[in-house]
C-alpha cells in the first residue's frame, strides 16, 4: 500500500490560513493554475522560471507550495512561480498531475543561482498538537539536515558512512511514526488512504495496527 496522506487542498480552511501565518506572518495563500511549459522539469521550479523569463514577460515570485495532510500537518515546499500582469502562474509540472497548487508568497525567500548547493527549502507546520506529529516533523527535519550536506542532482545522490546509516534509521522510524499518526488522527468517519473509498476502520486499519505490533 502506497501511503500518501498529503495532497493539494481543495479549499483554503482556517487551519490552513493559521498554519501559513506561522510560516509567513502576513502571508495569504492563493490557488495558482499550472500552465505547463514544454521544456519545464519536475522539481526544477526556479530554473524553469529563469528559463521562461528569458523569452517571456513577467517576474519570478518565490514562496511555498502548500500541501495538506488533513488534521495533521502542512507540507511546505519552496516554490517559484511567474507573475505576469499581476497574475501568478506556475509553469512547473506537478509530480501528481495536479492542475493547480496552493501557493504562499514569501518575500523573505531567495535563491542563489551562482551557488551549486542552492536548493529551495522544505518545511512542515503542525496542525495537530499530538506528540506523534511533532516527532514526525522532527524526523523530516533531521533527514533534511543530513541531505543538505550533499549537492542537488538529478542523479541518485550518493550518501555513505554514518550519514547513510542515520538516514536509514530515520526512514524506518518515519514509517512507524506515519502509521502512528494515521492511527491517532483517524476517527470513525475517516476514509482509507489507500483510495478504496471505504472507511479506514473497515479497510486498512487492522492491517496497520498489526504492522505496528509486529515492529
Ligand atoms: Zn484501505
Amino acid at each position: 500500500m502506497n501511503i500518501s496522506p498529503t495532497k493539494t487542498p481543495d479549499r483554503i480552511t482556517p487551519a490552513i490560513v493559521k498554519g501559513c501565518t506561522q510560516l509567513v506572518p502576513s502571508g495569504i495563500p492563493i490557488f495558482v493554475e499550472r500552465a505547463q511549459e514544454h521544456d519545464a522539469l519536475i522539481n526544477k521550479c526556479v530554473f524553469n522560471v529563469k528559463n521562461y523569463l528569458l523569452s517571456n514577460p513577467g517576474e519570478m515570485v518565490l514562496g511555498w507550495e502548500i500541501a495538506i495532510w488533513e488534521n495533521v500537518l502542512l507540507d511546505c515546499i519552496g516554490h517559484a512561480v511567474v507573475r505576469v500582469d499581476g497574475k501568478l502562474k506556475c509553469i512547473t509540472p506537478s509530480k501528481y498531475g495536479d492542475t493547480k497548487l496552493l501557493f504562499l508568497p514569501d518575500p523573505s525567500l531567495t535563491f542563489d543561482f551562482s551557488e551549486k548547493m542552492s536548493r529551495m527549502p522544505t518545511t512542515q507546520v503542525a496542525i495537530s498538537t499530538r506528540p506523534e506529529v511533532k516527532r514526525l516533523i522532527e524526523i523530516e527535519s533531521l533527514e533534511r539536515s543530513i541531505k543538505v550536506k550533499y549537492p542537488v542532482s538529478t542523479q541518485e545522490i550518493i550518501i555513505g558512512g554514518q550519514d547513510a546509516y542515520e538516514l536509514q534509521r530515520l526512514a524506518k522510524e518515519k514509517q512507524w511514526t506515519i502509521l502512528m499518526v494515521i492511527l491517532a488522527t483517524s476517527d470513525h468517519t475517516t476514509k482509507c488512504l489507500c483510495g478504496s473509498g471505504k472507511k479506514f476502520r473497515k479497510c486498512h486499519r487492522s492491517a496497520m495496527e498489526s504492522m505496528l505490533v509486529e515492529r
Side-chain angles (χ1 to χ4, degrees), residues 3 175-176 179 204-215:
I3 307 169
Q175 271 190 334
W176 301 125
L179 283 179
H204 274 89
R205 179 163 195 126
S206 58
M208 281 193 190
E209 281 169 345
S210 44
M211 279 167 83
L212 274 176
V213 172
E214 281 161 22
R215 168 165 59 137

mmCIF file of all heavy atoms in Angstrom, residues 3 175-176 179 204-215:
data_model
loop_
_atom_site.group_PDB
_atom_site.id
_atom_site.type_symbol
_atom_site.label_atom_id
_atom_site.label_comp_id
_atom_site.label_asym_id
_atom_site.label_seq_id
_atom_site.Cartn_x
_atom_site.Cartn_y
_atom_site.Cartn_z
ATOM 1 N N ILE A 3 1.212 4.844 0.921
ATOM 2 C CA ILE A 3 0.577 5.841 1.775
ATOM 3 C C ILE A 3 1.014 7.238 1.358
ATOM 4 O O ILE A 3 2.190 7.566 1.449
ATOM 5 C CB ILE A 3 0.985 5.647 3.247
ATOM 6 C CG1 ILE A 3 0.722 4.207 3.683
ATOM 7 C CG2 ILE A 3 0.258 6.617 4.142
ATOM 8 C CD1 ILE A 3 1.324 3.876 5.024
ATOM 9 N N GLN A 175 8.553 5.645 9.023
ATOM 10 C CA GLN A 175 7.469 4.725 8.642
ATOM 11 C C GLN A 175 6.538 4.439 9.807
ATOM 12 O O GLN A 175 5.324 4.520 9.691
ATOM 13 C CB GLN A 175 8.068 3.400 8.185
ATOM 14 C CG GLN A 175 8.376 3.354 6.708
ATOM 15 C CD GLN A 175 8.724 1.935 6.289
ATOM 16 O OE1 GLN A 175 9.190 1.132 7.108
ATOM 17 N NE2 GLN A 175 8.513 1.620 5.039
ATOM 18 N N TRP A 176 7.156 4.089 10.942
ATOM 19 C CA TRP A 176 6.337 3.756 12.116
ATOM 20 C C TRP A 176 5.578 4.982 12.600
ATOM 21 O O TRP A 176 4.421 4.890 13.004
ATOM 22 C CB TRP A 176 7.203 3.198 13.261
ATOM 23 C CG TRP A 176 7.960 1.973 12.875
ATOM 24 C CD1 TRP A 176 9.311 1.791 12.977
ATOM 25 C CD2 TRP A 176 7.434 0.772 12.322
ATOM 26 N NE1 TRP A 176 9.646 0.547 12.504
ATOM 27 C CE2 TRP A 176 8.511 -0.101 12.094
ATOM 28 C CE3 TRP A 176 6.148 0.346 11.985
ATOM 29 C CZ2 TRP A 176 8.345 -1.360 11.549
ATOM 30 C CZ3 TRP A 176 5.990 -0.908 11.440
ATOM 31 C CH2 TRP A 176 7.076 -1.751 11.229
ATOM 32 N N LEU A 179 2.555 5.685 10.540
ATOM 33 C CA LEU A 179 1.482 4.760 10.918
ATOM 34 C C LEU A 179 0.806 5.205 12.208
ATOM 35 O O LEU A 179 -0.423 5.219 12.307
ATOM 36 C CB LEU A 179 2.035 3.340 11.117
ATOM 37 C CG LEU A 179 2.337 2.533 9.868
ATOM 38 C CD1 LEU A 179 2.891 1.162 10.262
ATOM 39 C CD2 LEU A 179 1.085 2.351 9.028
ATOM 40 N N HIS A 204 -8.010 -0.552 5.836
ATOM 41 C CA HIS A 204 -6.630 -0.867 6.202
ATOM 42 C C HIS A 204 -6.292 -0.698 7.681
ATOM 43 O O HIS A 204 -5.139 -0.886 8.067
ATOM 44 C CB HIS A 204 -5.665 -0.026 5.370
ATOM 45 C CG HIS A 204 -5.339 -0.642 4.040
ATOM 46 N ND1 HIS A 204 -6.088 -0.398 2.911
ATOM 47 C CD2 HIS A 204 -4.362 -1.502 3.678
ATOM 48 C CE1 HIS A 204 -5.577 -1.076 1.895
ATOM 49 N NE2 HIS A 204 -4.533 -1.761 2.329
ATOM 50 N N ARG A 205 -7.248 -0.320 8.517
ATOM 51 C CA ARG A 205 -6.902 -0.037 9.903
ATOM 52 C C ARG A 205 -6.273 -1.243 10.610
ATOM 53 O O ARG A 205 -5.198 -1.126 11.212
ATOM 54 C CB ARG A 205 -8.118 0.451 10.695
ATOM 55 C CG ARG A 205 -7.744 0.721 12.136
ATOM 56 C CD ARG A 205 -8.702 1.565 12.931
ATOM 57 N NE ARG A 205 -7.969 1.973 14.128
ATOM 58 C CZ ARG A 205 -7.818 3.210 14.526
ATOM 59 N NH1 ARG A 205 -8.361 4.198 13.864
ATOM 60 N NH2 ARG A 205 -7.112 3.476 15.605
ATOM 61 N N SER A 206 -6.905 -2.402 10.517
ATOM 62 C CA SER A 206 -6.375 -3.552 11.261
ATOM 63 C C SER A 206 -5.020 -3.987 10.698
ATOM 64 O O SER A 206 -4.130 -4.397 11.448
ATOM 65 C CB SER A 206 -7.377 -4.694 11.270
ATOM 66 O OG SER A 206 -7.681 -5.055 9.949
ATOM 67 N N ALA A 207 -4.855 -3.876 9.384
ATOM 68 C CA ALA A 207 -3.554 -4.216 8.781
ATOM 69 C C ALA A 207 -2.460 -3.309 9.345
ATOM 70 O O ALA A 207 -1.365 -3.764 9.687
ATOM 71 C CB ALA A 207 -3.621 -4.072 7.269
ATOM 72 N N MET A 208 -2.775 -2.016 9.479
ATOM 73 C CA MET A 208 -1.780 -1.084 10.017
ATOM 74 C C MET A 208 -1.491 -1.355 11.483
ATOM 75 O O MET A 208 -0.359 -1.275 11.927
ATOM 76 C CB MET A 208 -2.289 0.348 9.857
ATOM 77 C CG MET A 208 -2.098 0.865 8.461
ATOM 78 S SD MET A 208 -2.371 2.626 8.462
ATOM 79 C CE MET A 208 -2.375 2.906 6.706
ATOM 80 N N GLU A 209 -2.546 -1.666 12.222
ATOM 81 C CA GLU A 209 -2.343 -1.965 13.638
ATOM 82 C C GLU A 209 -1.439 -3.170 13.817
ATOM 83 O O GLU A 209 -0.540 -3.161 14.659
ATOM 84 C CB GLU A 209 -3.697 -2.187 14.331
ATOM 85 C CG GLU A 209 -4.392 -0.876 14.636
ATOM 86 C CD GLU A 209 -5.844 -1.051 15.070
ATOM 87 O OE1 GLU A 209 -6.404 -2.146 14.864
ATOM 88 O OE2 GLU A 209 -6.408 -0.086 15.581
ATOM 89 N N SER A 210 -1.636 -4.199 12.997
ATOM 90 C CA SER A 210 -0.783 -5.376 13.169
ATOM 91 C C SER A 210 0.652 -5.092 12.724
ATOM 92 O O SER A 210 1.593 -5.658 13.274
ATOM 93 C CB SER A 210 -1.364 -6.603 12.482
ATOM 94 O OG SER A 210 -1.833 -6.299 11.214
ATOM 95 N N MET A 211 0.836 -4.184 11.746
ATOM 96 C CA MET A 211 2.203 -3.810 11.366
ATOM 97 C C MET A 211 2.928 -3.180 12.561
ATOM 98 O O MET A 211 4.101 -3.426 12.797
ATOM 99 C CB MET A 211 2.177 -2.803 10.212
ATOM 100 C CG MET A 211 1.992 -3.444 8.854
ATOM 101 S SD MET A 211 1.583 -2.204 7.597
ATOM 102 C CE MET A 211 3.207 -1.604 7.184
ATOM 103 N N LEU A 212 2.213 -2.362 13.314
ATOM 104 C CA LEU A 212 2.836 -1.716 14.470
ATOM 105 C C LEU A 212 3.159 -2.730 15.567
ATOM 106 O O LEU A 212 4.168 -2.611 16.252
ATOM 107 C CB LEU A 212 1.915 -0.625 15.034
ATOM 108 C CG LEU A 212 2.039 0.741 14.374
ATOM 109 C CD1 LEU A 212 1.004 1.699 14.948
ATOM 110 C CD2 LEU A 212 3.438 1.319 14.567
ATOM 111 N N VAL A 213 2.295 -3.716 15.714
ATOM 112 C CA VAL A 213 2.519 -4.737 16.734
ATOM 113 C C VAL A 213 3.744 -5.590 16.375
ATOM 114 O O VAL A 213 4.566 -5.920 17.221
ATOM 115 C CB VAL A 213 1.268 -5.620 16.898
ATOM 116 C CG1 VAL A 213 1.557 -6.808 17.804
ATOM 117 C CG2 VAL A 213 0.118 -4.798 17.458
ATOM 118 N N GLU A 214 3.880 -5.892 15.071
ATOM 119 C CA GLU A 214 4.981 -6.751 14.624
ATOM 120 C C GLU A 214 6.343 -6.063 14.647
ATOM 121 O O GLU A 214 7.367 -6.709 14.553
ATOM 122 C CB GLU A 214 4.708 -7.219 13.183
ATOM 123 C CG GLU A 214 3.711 -8.354 13.098
ATOM 124 C CD GLU A 214 3.112 -8.469 11.698
ATOM 125 O OE1 GLU A 214 3.752 -7.988 10.750
ATOM 126 O OE2 GLU A 214 2.013 -9.033 11.580
ATOM 127 N N ARG A 215 6.322 -4.745 14.759
ATOM 128 C CA ARG A 215 7.554 -3.971 14.687
ATOM 129 C C ARG A 215 8.647 -4.525 15.592
ATOM 130 O O ARG A 215 8.425 -4.873 16.719
ATOM 131 C CB ARG A 215 7.230 -2.522 15.056
ATOM 132 C CG ARG A 215 8.416 -1.658 15.311
ATOM 133 C CD ARG A 215 7.977 -0.219 15.301
ATOM 134 N NE ARG A 215 6.956 0.026 16.307
ATOM 135 C CZ ARG A 215 6.972 1.119 17.082
ATOM 136 N NH1 ARG A 215 7.916 1.989 16.961
ATOM 137 N NH2 ARG A 215 5.990 1.312 17.953
#
